[in-house]
């Protein structure tokens, strides 16, 4: 009986056929990513990308997570969209592939990134940015799919992605563009490794569990590798609001209380430990800090705003200071115990209280196609690109990836 490494198991798993229903789901994630790129096309990161990089897809790789509205997988604690789609599009552009090739590459990229990322533990996440450390697997799998690589060569690409995996959370402690660089590096590196594997570059397929491998270096208690009959893209959440996902449960609670006319007075958020570790910030001074502030997220809703990109600008930070001062945060052990399978929170205030186990956009409370399209339309408008009809049509119903490349070239 053959004994396969974890990477080899993933590579073989990726050879399965992608069915039409999953391709339809992939179109929603593709559109969601396009909206995130469009919404970020005007700003410091976009200016930097235009100056630094000539290639439009390298520029997009730097923009997909700027707004903090990129899709997210809860148990893997990562954002696949901003890594997988630039790698997939780049590979399909290189091969002249079809829209089906692009969608299949996206599905397989999400699968590898999530399956491997979900094996990382809390120790890993405390120090490493999972979107970066698992992202190279996603980029490599997406490009390998577009290139038509067999299981062996796909495994080599994944193995070399694992051999160079990295991305420290040190960037959280300074106002930098490193988070965007993490996603772009993973996408571009994964693409390169697939290109090298296509030409015969081998890699250490025991890079996860083997001696001096990724687990030994960064993980204390690896979780089991789960490879099911379906595709794990179905487990990915869409983000309705322009903030870190750890802030979303508190925003969701605030919206429920506001809708009931009960959001008033001092506001007490209870949530899981990681939400506090990443987002307990009562005094943000930059847009990035505001997006990682539970206090600011609740204040946005208390002010009657909708938690769009405009609500995390410097002007909004200044305007909402008095409301942020009314918000306190604490850990709830029961909510922490359910995390990361469930991102929950409770909110109590003078008018009432509410508790949520799951957040809007999660698979248990899924976003509808109409809501995903509306989000993309609003982000395209935020980016100064009009009503977005052409972009939405190209992503949702188009049959030619070159139309998407032309859109991105015009945008960036």
């Amino acid at each position: 009986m053959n004994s396969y490494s974890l990477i080899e198991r993933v590579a073989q798993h990726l050879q399965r056929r992608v069915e039409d229903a999953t391709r339809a789901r992939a179109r929603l994630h593709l559109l969601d990513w396009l909206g995130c790129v469009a919404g970020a096309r005007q700003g410091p990161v976009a200016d930097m990308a235009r100056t630094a990089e000539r290639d439009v897809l390298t520029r997009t790789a730097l923009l997909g997570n700027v707004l903090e509205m990129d899709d997210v997988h809860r148990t893997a604690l990562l954002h696949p969209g901003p890594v997988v789609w630039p790698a997939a599009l780049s590979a399909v552009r290189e091969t002249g592939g079809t829209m089906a090739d692009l969608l299949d590459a996206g599905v397989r990229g999400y699968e590898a990134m999530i399956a491997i990322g979900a094996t990382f533990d809390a120790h890993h996440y405390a120090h490493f940015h999972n979107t970066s450390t698992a992202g190279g697997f996603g980029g490599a799998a997406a490009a390998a799919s577009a290139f038509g690589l067999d299981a062996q060569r796909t495994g080599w690409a994944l193995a070399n992605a694992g051999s160079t995996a990295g991305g420290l959370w040190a960037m959280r402690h300074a106002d930098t563009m490193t988070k965007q660089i993490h996603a772009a590096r993973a996408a571009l590196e994964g693409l390169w490794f697939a290109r090298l594997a296509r030409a015969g570059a081998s890699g250490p397929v025991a890079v996860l569990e083997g001696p001096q491998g990724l687990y030994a270096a960064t993980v204390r208690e690896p979780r089991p590798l789960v490879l099911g009959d379906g595709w794990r893209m179905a487990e990915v959440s869409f983000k309705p609001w322009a903030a870190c996902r750890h802030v979303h449960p508190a925003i969701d609670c605030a919206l429920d209380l506001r809708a009931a006319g009960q959001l008033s007075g001092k506001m007490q958020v209870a949530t899981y430990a990681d939400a506090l570790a990443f987002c307990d910030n009562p005094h943000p001074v930059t847009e990035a800090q505001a997006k990682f502030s539970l206090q600011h997220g609740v204040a946005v809703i208390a002010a009657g705003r909708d938690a769009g990109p405009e609500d995390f600008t410097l002007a909004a930070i200044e305007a909402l200071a008095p409301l942020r001062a009314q918000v306190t945060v604490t850990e709830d052990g029961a909510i922490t115990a359910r995390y990361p399978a469930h991102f929950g929170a409770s909110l109590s205030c003078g008018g009432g209280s509410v508790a949520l186990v799951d957040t809007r956009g999660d698979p248990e409370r899924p976003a509808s196609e109409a809501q995903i399209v509306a989000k993309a339309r609003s982000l395209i408008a935020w980016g100064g690109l009009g009503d977005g009809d052409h972009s939405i049509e190209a992503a949702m119903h188009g049959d030619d990836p070159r139309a998407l490349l032309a859109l991105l070239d015009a945008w960036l």
Side-chain angles (χ1 to χ4, degrees):
M1 183 176 183
N2 291 325
S3 178
Y4 294 109
S5 70
L6 296 179
I7 288 291
E8 288 171 318
R9 288 173 56 196
V10 173
Q12 292 164 357
H13 177 72
L14 296 176
Q15 303 301 308
R16 299 173 302 145
R17 176 182 174 274
V18 179
E19 67 282 0
D20 290 343
T22 303
R23 287 178 179 166
R25 168 82 184 207
R27 284 186 183 270
L28 293 173
H29 289 278
L30 173 61
L31 176 63
D32 194 64
W33 170 74
L34 287 169
C36 290
V37 170
R41 64 181 287 273
Q42 301 179 111
V45 177
D47 292 342
M48 175 275 294
R50 290 186 183 93
T51 301
E53 297 293 345
R54 297 180 63 183
D55 181 67
V56 66
L57 292 178
T58 304
R59 293 174 179 176
T60 66
L62 287 159
L63 296 181
N65 71 353
V66 169
L67 298 180
E68 292 292 338
M69 299 190 79
D70 41 336
D71 56 13
V72 59
H73 189 274
R74 290 171 299 179
T75 54
L77 294 168
L78 51 74
H79 303 273
V83 175
V84 169
W85 291 116
L89 260 176
S90 293
V92 167
R93 177 181 61 182
E94 187 172 321
T95 63
T98 66
M99 181 63 84
D101 294 330
L102 173 63
L103 298 173
D104 289 359
V107 171
R108 293 185 174 113
Y110 275 59
E111 186 77 6
M113 187 170 172
I114 293 166
I116 294 172
T119 68
F120 299 160
D121 65 357
H123 172 75
H124 183 94
Y125 186 62
H127 301 280
F128 291 94
H129 181 197
N130 288 14
T131 300
S132 181
T133 52
F137 300 108
S145 174
F147 292 155
L149 302 191
D150 62 15
Q152 182 182 50
R153 295 190 183 222
T154 297
W156 290 345
L158 294 172
N160 282 321
S163 73
T164 60
L168 294 168
W169 277 125
M171 49 78 176
R172 289 182 49 233
H173 305 287
D175 184 20
T176 72
M177 298 179 184
T178 306
K179 191 176 186 189
Q180 286 72 54
I181 294 170
H182 279 184
R185 179 207 60 79
L188 299 171
E189 197 171 73
L191 171 69
W192 187 53
F193 289 138
R195 191 180 291 134
L196 294 179
R198 181 176 57 180
S202 57
V205 292
V207 71
L208 291 176
E209 73 276 24
Q212 297 181 289
L214 189 59
Y215 291 163
T218 70
V219 180
R220 287 179 176 168
E221 297 181 3
R223 299 185 179 109
L225 176 69
V226 177
L227 301 173
D229 293 335
W231 295 97
R232 298 192 73 170
M233 180 178 272
E235 303 170 5
V236 176
S237 302
F238 291 94
K239 293 174 66 175
W241 307 299
C244 174
R245 186 61 171 180
H246 293 313
V247 178
H248 281 214
I251 289 175
D252 205 344
C253 288
L255 282 167
D256 279 359
L257 286 177
R258 190 178 77 182
Q262 297 175 345
L263 189 59
S264 61
K266 293 186 179 296
M267 295 164 279
Q268 172 74 54
V269 175
T271 186
Y272 51 92
D274 265 354
L276 272 63
F278 282 82
C279 299
D280 180 3
N281 186 358
H283 306 297
V285 296
T286 68
E287 291 189 19
Q289 289 175 2
K291 292 172 183 288
F292 281 77
S293 169
L294 288 159
Q295 293 87 345
H296 188 81
V298 173
V300 162
I301 304 306
R305 298 169 178 247
D306 296 323
E310 65 276 11
D311 299 317
F312 298 85
T313 61
L314 296 181
I317 292 169
E318 181 179 0
L320 296 176
L323 278 171
R324 278 197 305 275
Q326 299 296 307
V327 182
T328 57
V329 300
T330 187
E331 182 190 356
D332 183 318
I335 298 175
T336 297
R338 293 194 294 266
Y339 167 85
H342 303 278
F343 280 30
S346 66
L347 176 59
S348 302
C349 63
S353 64
V354 65
L356 298 172
V357 173
D358 297 301
T359 302
R360 287 177 233 199
D362 285 340
E364 295 83 359
R365 299 177 64 196
S368 67
E369 179 177 322
Q371 289 171 326
I372 295 165
V373 169
K375 172 188 169 182
R377 191 183 302 281
S378 70
L379 291 179
I380 291 167
W382 175 252
L385 294 166
D387 61 20
D389 284 348
H390 182 55
S391 310
I392 293 166
E393 177 65 23
M396 293 299 293
H397 305 291
D399 58 6
D400 187 355
R402 285 172 286 276
L404 300 178
L405 292 167
L407 274 176
L408 291 168
D409 194 55
W411 291 356
L412 301 175

